[in-house]
Amino acid sequence: MIYQRSSALFAAAQKVIPGGVNSPVRAFKAVGGDPIFVKEAKGAYLYDEDGNRLIDYINSWGPMILGHAHAPVVNAVVEKAKKGTSFGMPTEIETQIAELAVAMVPNIDKIRFVNSGTEACMSAVRLARGYTKKDKIIKFAGCYHGHSDSFLIQAGSGAITFGSPNSPGVTQGTAQDTLLARYNDLDHVKSIINSNKNEIACIIIEPVAGNMGCIPPVKGFLEGLRSLCDAHNILLIFDEVMTGFRLAQGGAQELLGVDADIVTFGKVIGGGLPVGAFAASSAIMNHLAPLGPVYQAGTLSGNPLAMAAGLAMLTELHENPDIFKSIADKTEYLHKGIAGALEQHNITHTINRVGSMISVHFDKETIVDFDTAAKGNNNTFKKFFHGMLENGIYIAPSAFETWFITEALTYDDLDETIAAVDKVAKTL
Ligand code: KE4
């Protein structure tokens, strides 16, 4: 593969954008080399600035569940743009997508739209603190809820890559209110609650972790968190920015059968445009301004273009629920194919998968939390990443990420991907 134009564009970008990117994980720091610059994308394929076609397993980190440039989404945005792009005033389409989201997701009466997953999670925590009148939160090592100060305490995703458990700029005053637990370790959560009696407002968790690779909750873990929250007047926040409208219509709450008190969304809900959201019962959401005292706002929140993209996306998912099984089946097929190819070449690995989220770890251990995820052989991962890229397959440029399967992938694409794994495995 030739990447001359991407490299030239990267050099230019670095002169005016820190690190040449607007989000660190795109910079290939975890795998080395220059990032790929995309010219356009359609369906399951990316077309980079050097004319290479790549099968895409990132899909903008989740939103492109129906494929890139999906016509109903594009058309909705184009038509809406012709009528104006932003008003800073309420519009009917905000109510339409809110009604649809409330119909699709369990346990929510109301939803507030914002502009990113970070904003959704930050606002959800503020709401939990305002509702319970308590200050502390519990998050899990390796989980990533965006770059709000309270979350940058041993966060996952790109923050892991930079080895900065507590990002500079996050004050001790903020950090002291964030308590860190081990994912899948209920006893650890219990001990933290007992050591901070009546001080914890919420537990925020990725119900299926996707920012240290894909890590499913062990049996009883989420149910145990639910019971602890009920017993100690703590709100349970499911960060469904990745899992929402991906694992099922009703996300992880529906798939795993555990009720959250507040749910956050991003990615799929915006159909590829900047949208985040958080939702809960009316009893909780009515604490938000202008109804209640918990302040939260945004100039472009509920932006008509973003709402048009999100409404088109959610409408198609709502009307075609078989999509969720289809992408889960494709992910299972891919899992079996990759595992077979790596086993054939005696490559030590573990593959985690939930629905249409999957990750490959080059370690024999079962990956259940940040510590076990961090044991993966990153040198092998780097070679695997670049080998797959050379074969026209674009996977997450970090071992601490999840691959996202799009319905636009055909079984021929999956076979091409599996064949690439077989070819690359020989070089590992
Ligand atoms: P954004 O602010 O990036 O829209 O969402 C933050 C966020 C919150 N919660 C979860 C579970 C998330 O996965 C994310 C963002 N995901 C990363 C990918 N691991 C976004 C990629 C990036 O940072 O560029």
Side-chain angles (χ1 to χ4, degrees), residues 23-26 61 115-119 121 144-147 157-158 206 210-211 239-242 264 266-267 275 400-402 404:
S23 197
V25 73
R26 304 175 191 168
W61 301 100
N115 303 280
S116 69
T118 295
E119 249 192 290
C121 294
Y144 180 72
H145 306 294
H147 64 91
S157 184
E206 294 177 54
N211 287 289
D239 174 353
E240 294 222 44
V241 168
M242 274 188 178
T264 64
K267 300 179 193 285
V275 178
F400 296 108
E401 296 292 354
T402 294
F404 297 96

